[in-house]
Amino acid sequence: MITTEPRGALVTPPLQQPARRPTPRRRGAVVAAGLPAAVVALLAAAAGPAAAATTGSSGVGDPYFPLAGNGGYNVHHYDLTLGYDPKTRHLEGRAVITARATERLTRFDLDLKGLKVTSITVNHAKAAFRRDGQELVVSPRKALRKGQEFRTTVTYAGTPGPVTDPDGSLDGWIPTDDGAFVAGEPQGAMTWFPANNHPKDKASYDFAITVPAGRTAVSNGVFRGQKTAKGRTTFRWRQSEPMAAYLATATVGTFKVEQYTAPGGLKVFNAVDPREAAASAAVLKKLPSVLAWESTLFGPYPFKGAGAIVDRAPQAGYALETQARPVYDRAPDLSTLVHESAHQWFGNSVSLTTWKDIWLNEGFATYAEWLYDEQHGGQSAQKTFDALYASPASSDLWAFPPADPGSGAHIFDAPVYSRGAMALHKLRTAVGDRTFLRILRTWASDHRDGHGTTAQFIRLSERQSGKDLDQLFHTWIGTKGKPSKP
Ligand code: ARG
Ligand code: ZN
């Protein structure tokens, strides 16, 4: 038993069958789109320092997604005004992006895939632009000085659709029968707004999303009200804490809306596809107690808003921890709710600097599921660990080291989720419950609204425990194959 005592009121009834959550279901793993690591590294290098002089680079140098994000500036705020018609699937958008140049810039890139750009201004002056794959290359009339804050307005329209990820899954703007399921991990944000599309660059967001009356547009953060005129309703949302672009959503559908203030003052906004309402009601009711329980373990909940978007989106086949308000492709089970909730601390508030570190998100959210089971009448984390360790050496679980998936094609595979959680369990048993929880809480508070790396997590664990943990981490996240002892 872990040493934090769940307060009586927070204890939920034992789970009937502690449902194990498989790694996200994907449509057949297509590896072809993934470039060999060496090529990717070359591309990243080519896009890097040489091109960065005054033109901004076409990527932030992520070896798994070399074109993701851009160099030369940091975004502070996105102000997105969108209109979507589910019938025609037409999207109209205007993005006002406030950023600061980190070097002198005669041009810079944004990421935008598909859609037609009709005009761009930088600091209110018309700017020249061209498209090059996912790169939207902007040349402001006047060069931007290093350190200058500048405002880019992009007006665009078209029929958005998802991208296919290296692992074969769909991501981005995914049309549904009544709207769109919008989930952007790892790349899909660029399918619906121009962005510095990498978690390295976090920003605050405002959204105004207009849809036909009767439909609801749900986004991140806090709900700021709705207004209907001439048969169309505009929904306003504000995500004030920094957010990575992949965590933005503008999910549209016919939804039943539920709003309430949870004990402690947290504002909850749920939007549920009526076809999923019966199946999700019991689990959704537990959201406040799940967040309260996670707060006792991980520290204060990091955001102002909370809630859930329960859609019916078989095309997606996975849920995503969209900031403050996860989006579910179907009625979630309790483990999935616990998982996406834990991401609010691990992945959302504390972000990745490189996709290679994805176990810092998925291993942690998976371990939260184990802890939840353990503290709510399910099986102990040790039992869950033991059951996984019993997997044969030939199992996919041991296919690669959690901290080195090798390419974007494997970032959502079993070693990242399950073996990542096993590594945390090994850490817990090595340092003891009290220190383990202190490590998790310190991680969440030291890096709140920021970033964390695997190396930093190892250093923190060693500092907090006073132990040399190199061998433990090397074995559990740094080597492939089944470790010889559990
Ligand atoms: N982070 C999500 C989760 O673990 C999974 C997202 C999967 N995305 C994808 N494109 N396959 O809940
Ligand atoms: Zn996850």
Side-chain angles (χ1 to χ4, degrees), residues 458 462 467-476:
I458 295 172
E462 294 191 325
K467 288 194 152 83
D468 180 350
L469 298 166
D470 276 1
Q471 195 51 47
L472 183 152
F473 280 109
H474 178 69
T475 302
W476 285 93

Side-chain angles (χ1 to χ4, degrees), residues 21 24 165 167 169 185 318-321 339-340 362 412 417:
R21 179 172 172 281
D165 291 325
D167 68 358
S169 60
E185 190 185 24
Y318 59 83
L320 180 66
E321 62 269 22
H339 179 106
E340 307 310 341
E362 302 305 345
F412 300 118
Y417 285 71

Side-chain angles (χ1 to χ4, degrees), residues 36-124:
V39 177
V40 166
L42 271 178
L43 284 173
T54 60
T55 57
S57 61
S58 58
V60 296
D62 192 302
Y64 291 4
F65 298 94
L67 293 177
N70 305 282
Y73 63 92
N74 284 316
V75 177
H76 298 316
H77 187 75
Y78 293 89
D79 193 340
L80 303 180
T81 305
L82 307 172
Y84 188 64
D85 182 355
K87 224 189 275 144
T88 60
R89 297 190 171 181
H90 185 75
L91 176 77
E92 294 202 354
R94 194 191 65 209
V96 181
I97 303 167
T98 313
R100 188 182 297 278
T102 54
E103 58 194 89
R104 180 174 181 273
L105 290 175
T106 56
R107 65 166 212 249
F108 61 91
D109 286 17
L110 288 160
D111 298 307
L112 184 69
K113 187 135 178 161
L115 305 169
K116 190 175 159 48
V117 174
T118 48
S119 91
I120 299 186
T121 64
V122 175
N123 293 335
H124 304 291

Side-chain angles (χ1 to χ4, degrees), residues 21 36 43 71 96 143 164 209 219 240 243 257 306 308 377 389 406 463 485:
R21 179 172 172 281
L43 284 173
V96 181
T164 301
I209 312 161
S219 185
S240 48
M243 175 168 78
V257 168
Y389 188 75
R463 227 176 27 237
K485 54 181 182 22

